[in-house]
Amino acid sequence: MIFFRKISTMSLESAKKVASIKAVDAFLKSNSVIGIGSGSTIVYAVERIAELVKNHHWKIQCVPTSFQAKQLIHKYDLPLTDLEANPELDLCIDGADEVDDNLNLIKGGGGCLLQEKIVASCAKTLVIVADYTKNSTYLGEQYKKGIPIEVVPMCYLPIIKKIQENFGGTVTLRMAQSKAGPVITDNGNFIIDWFVLDPKFNWEKLNTELLLMPGVVETGLFINMAFKAYFGLPDGSVKIQVRKDQYEDEA
Ligand SMILES: O=C[C@H](O)[C@H](O)[C@H](O)COP(=O)(O)O
């Protein structure tokens, strides 16, 4: 039993790695400013970025999307920058918790959605790297942990109540694992997770309505933002998916 579990964990990690390598090889160019996403998959992308930068003496600058991303940039000795020095990015590469068939995303499973969305919104191109478990037809098909929403701490309870009353489902405050109390984001806020994943939802409209609620800082719904997603598959190959309204100029 233990043996089989180990095999399946290894293949998931390899899937993250092959997807990351393929995406970075396709999109990374010298003299560019890159947004670095957060999570476990992005680690492989940063590893590959560092390899290419070192081997080809490329010049790039990296904008982090979280404390973790900043640490990764330092670890791999990549040049760190920010949106003040570089308000426009050439590329942002990031992971996702789920990707639907038109490249709408759920993000924030690791609590990093706000800076991720800001940095992605400043990039010409957002590329997603993920393993095969993230590749869904609709949001909520496989990701069962709810939609992460970052909120101002003082009003987490009224927001929970309003979301439940207005949209249904249940919303929970995300609690920390190794600390008493809630998860505190890199921005000093709380995360609530909304458990209603109805495939019939108009996610764009819903996202706008959530963002209009005072105290909601950002949602983990990334609608019409990603250009291309790379999914590592169990057999070692990579599936590439492009947003339907985008012109495909690179296979
Ligand atoms: O808050 C976390 C971020 O949105 C991550 O990009 C997302 O959770 C995917 O992470 P992972 O690559 O670990 O699945």
Side-chain angles (χ1 to χ4, degrees):
M1 192 55 139
I2 291 165
F3 175 72
F4 284 117
R5 259 198 218 121
K6 190 161 184 192
I7 292 284
S8 101
T9 308
M10 279 175 67
S11 70
L12 205 62
E13 291 307 307
S14 324
K16 294 177 189 189
K17 188 170 182 172
V18 287
S20 299
I21 290 175
K22 188 111 180 159
V24 169
D25 287 3
F27 280 92
L28 191 71
K29 291 186 175 68
S30 189
N31 297 312
S32 55
V33 183
I34 318 291
I36 301 293
S38 316
S40 56
T41 316
I42 200 68
V43 174
Y44 296 108
V46 173
E47 225 172 74
R48 184 63 172 177
I49 291 171
E51 229 170 74
L52 294 181
V53 164
K54 191 173 167 217
N55 293 347
H56 301 292
H57 306 290
W58 281 354
K59 293 201 180 335
I60 64 160
Q61 294 186 80
C62 299
V63 180
T65 59
S66 62
F67 180 84
Q68 179 223 357
K70 194 163 148 185
Q71 284 193 317
L72 271 176
I73 293 166
H74 283 312
K75 179 178 172 191
Y76 287 92
D77 211 14
L78 292 165
L80 179 72
T81 186
D82 57 26
L83 294 178
E84 203 169 2
N86 288 286
E88 287 175 15
L89 282 67
D90 299 288
L91 173 70
C92 181
I93 185 156
D94 203 346
D97 298 300
E98 189 161 46
V99 183
D100 78 6
D101 62 2
N102 200 25
L103 262 53
N104 293 314
L105 319 171
I106 297 178
K107 287 182 57 53
C112 300
L113 59 101
L114 174 60
Q115 293 184 41
E116 287 181 340
K117 204 184 266 189
I118 293 170
V119 173
S121 76
C122 298
K124 288 185 193 132
T125 308
L126 171 62
V127 173
I128 299 301
V129 286
D131 63 73
Y132 52 92
T133 64
K134 315 294 182 61
N135 185 198
S136 292
T137 309
Y138 57 87
L139 297 183
E141 184 182 5
Q142 300 186 84
Y143 188 69
K144 303 295 182 193
K145 295 182 180 169
I147 295 173
I149 302 169
E150 183 157 346
V151 299
V152 172
M154 69 171 283
C155 55
Y156 83 91
L157 198 51
I159 289 173
I160 285 179
K161 283 173 182 286
K162 282 180 201 165
I163 292 176
Q164 289 177 163
E165 278 164 22
N166 296 346
F167 306 108
T170 52
V171 187
T172 56
L173 177 63
R174 194 183 295 180
M175 302 306 282
Q177 296 296 321
S178 304
K179 161 204 172 257
V183 166
I184 311 290
T185 69
D186 288 350
N187 321 295
N189 296 314
F190 288 175
I191 296 275
I192 56 175
D193 293 294
W194 178 31
F195 294 84
V196 169
L197 295 182
D198 179 347
K200 289 183 238 68
F201 268 133
N202 175 341
W203 295 111
E204 192 168 359
K205 183 167 174 280
L206 189 68
N207 188 44
T208 309
E209 285 173 14
L210 289 170
L211 289 170
L212 284 174
M213 295 174 69
V216 168
V217 180
E218 193 48 270
T219 79
L221 289 166
F222 284 47
I223 309 297
N224 297 328
M225 292 185 77
F227 166 63
K228 201 174 255 194
Y230 286 71
F231 301 101
L233 303 182
D235 66 1
S237 63
V238 177
K239 175 180 170 187
I240 304 173
Q241 205 165 315
V242 187
R243 205 169 87 211
K244 285 172 188 156
D245 61 355
Q246 298 294 300
Y247 175 62
E248 167 67 318
D249 61 352
E250 184 264 331

